[in-house]
Amino acid sequence: MQTIGALLYNAMYIYSFLIIGYILMSWFPNARESSFGQFLGSIVEPYLEPFRRFIPPLGMIDLSPIVAIIVLRLASAGVLAIFS
């Protein structure tokens, strides 16, 4: 049972880094339009979309990925607590 919890925790941990990578790609011109950027967007955007519906951007700053990462980290801590 701990193996399943460890796998879920590691998957959530890696996914949070994918979100961070996707955020950083917005700093470089045409990075999101590359094949890797589109692939990463197809993985990350379905998770970020519900947060973007509820959290409006503050000018040029989009805070929804930060909230999404915090929620993901809290969920991974919950998974770790349940399966420990």
Side-chain angles (χ1 to χ4, degrees):
M1 199 66 148
Q2 287 180 343
T3 308
I4 295 171
L7 286 173
L8 283 173
Y9 176 79
N10 288 333
M12 290 175 162
Y13 190 73
I14 292 169
Y15 195 73
S16 66
F17 278 108
L18 291 176
I19 294 171
I20 292 170
Y22 187 69
I23 293 168
L24 292 176
M25 287 181 82
S26 69
W27 293 357
F28 301 103
N30 298 326
R32 286 190 180 174
E33 286 78 26
S34 68
S35 60
F36 180 71
Q38 290 177 353
F39 172 72
L40 199 56
S42 68
I43 294 172
V44 171
E45 281 295 332
Y47 178 68
L48 292 178
E49 189 61 36
F51 293 99
R52 288 192 175 133
R53 274 190 247 136
F54 293 110
I55 303 169
L58 299 172
M60 296 284 293
I61 300 172
D62 186 13
L63 297 177
S64 59
I66 297 169
V67 175
I69 290 171
I70 291 171
V71 168
L72 188 62
R73 293 288 175 108
L74 289 174
S76 65
V79 163
L80 197 60
I82 289 172
F83 286 103
S84 294

